[in-house]
Amino acid sequence: MIREMIEQPPKKENRERRENPVDALLLLTKKISAQINKDIKEKYNVKHDLVTEQGMLSMDFFSRENGGIYTAEEIGRDKEEILAKEIEWSGAYNPSVQEFYKNTKKIEGKEEIAREWMKNKEREKSSQMEMLTNAIFYKNLKNDFFVSRTSRKDDLGGVDTYLVNKKTGDIVCAFDEVHDHTQGDRKNEKWKRVESIGKGGKTIKYGVVPEGDRLIQREIRNIPVFFVSLTTEELIRGMEGFSRNIDESPNELEKKYFNKFTLLLEEEYDRVKDMQMPNATRENLKNFKRALETMKEIGSANQNA
């Protein structure tokens, strides 16, 4: 059923009437971010935006100047580390790359080249995968779970999205979204990385946890990290078929993709549930199991709606 839905192409006339899907997804991400920030400010009486326009946890939210837990100097060091990696990855140290940006885009300086490179990277399939997955989880789970892309610092550490139970404050899990170029071509790599849960899971430095009428900032350790994936074909169909409206219930494609992700997560849980792991990770895995049952119930209710 899920595969049949995914493989049905959208009607050509609908596809032609729509704007560029990447632009639409970037706009949807901004809308989701604005909604999250609005809800957080109203519920927890905070002043600074929690997430950026890209849907990522804002490192500045954690600054002591904004009532946070980290000094401006520490956050600054993290930002410098991120920028250094982006400069390296963009090739901005290479004279030929510098010449290219200067001649074609009128951009000079390593930092400016890195920023332009990052802006272009936001439109690549890997980033589309992250934003689309985040949007699908948000639309399906926003009433029960806090869903957010992690900070840029934690994203570099291999954690893209994480879930927290709004009612209990339980740390549920984190996701690393994977764009498979062909069906299952990264399966072995995925299993190897999922099984690393046995070593203790991941750490999120910039984490928030709801606790009653407060939003607690803290480093979150021993989080089990699972993978959700789409092939290139599935990603293209998802980009063409997602709803641009965050106020409406998930559309049929978003429901199907959500159920696909839930099935993948259950498969991964079954793979690791009996492994040896630290007690803290085991407790978070129990939280994940409870959340997974809730996600399955939501998915089932959506299908019957």
Side-chain angles (χ1 to χ4, degrees):
M1 176 71 75
I2 295 175
R3 176 62 56 188
E4 290 175 358
M5 178 64 193
I6 290 175
E7 289 181 350
Q8 292 176 7
K11 293 180 180 180
K12 182 177 180 181
E13 61 269 24
N14 290 341
R15 195 165 60 238
E16 290 176 346
R17 282 201 300 266
R18 284 187 168 179
E19 69 276 55
N20 182 296
V22 179
D23 291 335
L25 183 58
L26 287 167
L27 179 59
L28 177 67
T29 300
K30 288 183 180 180
K31 290 179 179 178
I32 290 174
S33 298
Q35 186 64 62
I36 290 174
N37 288 329
K38 179 176 180 292
D39 292 345
I40 291 295
K41 288 177 179 178
E42 290 178 353
K43 184 169 184 178
Y44 299 106
N45 194 31
V46 298
K47 305 301 181 183
H48 193 278
D49 285 347
L50 175 63
V51 296
T52 67
E53 288 188 344
Q54 293 77 34
M56 306 181 83
L57 285 173
S58 168
M59 293 163 62
D60 291 329
F61 180 83
F62 295 80
S63 169
R64 287 182 183 170
E65 294 178 355
N66 295 320
I69 59 176
Y70 297 123
T71 65
E73 290 75 18
E74 184 169 0
I75 294 173
R77 287 194 295 271
D78 285 342
K79 288 183 176 181
E80 288 175 1
E81 177 188 346
I82 294 165
L83 180 58
K85 290 182 180 296
E86 292 171 351
I87 290 173
E88 178 185 352
W89 293 334
S90 68
Y93 288 113
N94 189 319
S96 62
V97 172
Q98 296 173 11
E99 192 70 16
F100 168 80
Y101 277 92
K102 179 179 179 180
N103 294 336
T104 62
K105 299 178 179 294
K106 309 301 181 185
I107 293 175
E108 297 186 66
K110 294 186 291 292
E111 293 185 6
E112 292 303 317
I113 290 173
R115 291 190 179 95
E116 179 68 14
W117 179 81
M118 281 300 301
K119 188 165 67 174
N120 293 330
K121 187 173 174 58
E122 289 177 5
R123 306 182 68 87
E124 293 179 355
K125 284 186 169 55
S126 58
S127 294
Q128 293 173 30
M129 176 72 194
E130 283 188 35
M131 289 187 289
L132 180 63
T133 303
N134 185 68
I136 290 172
F137 277 115
Y138 176 81
K139 289 182 180 182
N140 282 276
L141 299 177
K142 61 182 178 181
N143 294 328
D144 298 276
F145 297 91
F146 172 72
V147 182
S148 174
R149 298 176 76 187
T150 60
S151 71
R152 185 70 179 125
K153 167 75 172 178
D154 294 310
D155 180 62
L156 292 179
V159 182
D160 297 330
T161 304
Y162 85 111
L163 264 64
V164 178
N165 189 309
K166 282 185 175 182
K167 297 176 183 177
T168 66
D170 288 340
I171 309 302
V172 175
C173 68
F175 301 134
D176 193 354
E177 289 89 8
V178 176
H179 164 229
D180 281 341
H181 298 283
T182 60
Q183 182 66 36
D185 73 339
R186 297 179 66 184
K187 194 175 186 66
N188 290 334
E189 177 188 347
K190 182 188 76 170
W191 284 130
K192 183 177 179 180
R193 294 172 70 183
V194 168
E195 289 171 352
S196 68
I197 289 173
K199 298 178 181 178
K202 292 277 191 177
T203 296
I204 292 178
K205 179 174 181 177
Y206 294 89
V208 291
V209 180
E211 188 177 286
D213 59 355
R214 298 189 302 160
L215 190 67
I216 306 300
Q217 300 181 18
R218 66 182 176 90
E219 183 177 76
I220 304 172
R221 296 177 177 272
N222 301 106
I223 304 176
V225 178
F226 296 96
F227 289 79
V228 291
S229 61
L230 294 174
T231 65
T232 297
E233 181 181 358
E234 291 169 344
L235 178 59
I236 291 171
R237 294 181 189 282
M239 291 294 293
E240 292 175 337
F242 72 86
S243 169
R244 276 62 172 163
N245 192 330
I246 65 169
D247 297 318
E248 294 178 350
S249 299
N251 66 19
E252 289 304 311
L253 181 139
E254 290 164 341
K255 294 176 185 178
K256 295 295 184 180
Y257 274 46
F258 176 72
N259 282 343
K260 167 188 165 69
F261 293 152
T262 302
L263 290 174
L264 287 172
L265 293 171
E266 186 169 34
E267 182 183 7
E268 292 172 17
Y269 170 80
D270 288 339
R271 181 95 169 205
V272 303
K273 65 181 180 180
D274 296 323
M275 293 176 58
Q276 294 293 321
M277 64 186 69
N279 289 335
T281 309
R282 174 69 63 189
E283 286 303 310
N284 285 333
L285 195 62
K286 291 178 181 178
N287 293 337
F288 171 74
K289 177 59 175 175
R290 288 192 290 269
L292 185 60
E293 294 304 315
T294 301
M295 292 164 65
K296 289 164 64 177
E297 290 172 5
I298 292 171
S300 178
N302 283 344
Q303 287 300 104
N304 295 327

